């Protein structure tokens, strides 16, 4: 699964960007409410990290100490929030994340450096965020 570069100006406005309207705020609040449950957050993680890009509900239920109907309820909440989509294949439903929605969420937190302090120098395993400018004054 390829993720969009959220630092590009054409993508998403961060929280520090223009003021969002009521509809957008309500939509985002529904998404955050869906993610506020530990079971749903773990479900989203399991689906997003599936090697094939999708996960069968039959593989998701065993990871939790709750009943299959409860898992189905949590998956329904994630679907209604627009975070996942499902496709029925015979008896089972296969779920995958909706990358644009996850990209939108990650774009919200692209805040400018408000502290005036630059982060540590980048390393190959921890590169500096694209577009981050650090003015070094000596």
């Amino acid at each position: 699964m390829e993720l969009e570069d959220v630092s590009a100006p054409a993508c998403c406005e961060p929280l520090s960007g223009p003021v969002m309207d009521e509809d957008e705020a309500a939509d985002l609040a529904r998404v955050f409410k869906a993610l506020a449950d530990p079971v749903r957050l773990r479900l989203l993680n399991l689906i997003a990290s599936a090697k094939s890009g999708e996960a069968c509900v039959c593989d998701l239920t065993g990871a939790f100490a709750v009943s299959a109907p409860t898992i189905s309820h949590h998956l329904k909440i994630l679907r209604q929030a627009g975070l996942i989509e499902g496709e029925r294949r015979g008896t089972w439903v296969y779920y995958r994340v909706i990358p644009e929605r996850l990209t939108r969420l990650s774009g919200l937190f692209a805040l400018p450096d408000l502290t005036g302090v630059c982060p540590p120098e980048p390393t190959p395993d921890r590169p500096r965020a694209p577009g981050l400018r650090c003015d070094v004054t000596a």
Side-chain angles (χ1 to χ4, degrees):
M1 172 177 68
E2 290 184 37
L3 294 180
E4 182 179 342
D5 178 6
V6 296
S7 64
C11 176
C12 315
E13 294 294 340
L15 285 173
S16 62
V19 175
M20 67 178 72
D21 62 33
E22 287 184 35
D23 290 338
E24 185 178 13
D27 181 50
L28 287 169
R30 280 189 293 278
V31 172
F32 283 117
K33 185 176 180 180
L35 291 174
D37 182 272
V39 172
R40 289 193 288 267
L41 195 55
R42 285 186 58 214
L43 279 168
L44 184 64
N45 173 251
L46 286 170
I47 295 166
S49 63
K51 290 181 182 177
S52 65
E54 60 185 10
C56 176
V57 70
C58 60
D59 295 326
L60 297 172
T61 54
F64 299 91
V66 297
S67 66
T70 301
I71 294 295
S72 293
H73 168 74
H74 286 300
L75 290 167
K76 177 183 173 185
I77 300 295
L78 291 171
R79 271 195 331 270
Q80 290 173 338
L83 294 168
I84 62 172
E85 57 189 3
E87 178 184 336
R88 180 169 294 282
R89 296 184 200 150
T91 305
W92 304 111
V93 178
Y94 289 78
Y95 291 96
R96 65 191 149 277
V97 297
I98 300 174
E100 300 81 15
R101 293 292 283 189
L102 297 183
T103 299
R104 171 66 180 116
L105 290 177
S106 66
L108 284 173
F109 300 106
L111 294 175
D113 181 18
L114 301 176
T115 64
V117 176
C118 291
E121 285 299 311
T123 62
D125 62 323
R126 188 181 37 84
R128 181 166 286 151
L132 179 64
R133 293 181 193 91
C134 274
D135 297 323
V136 178
T137 56

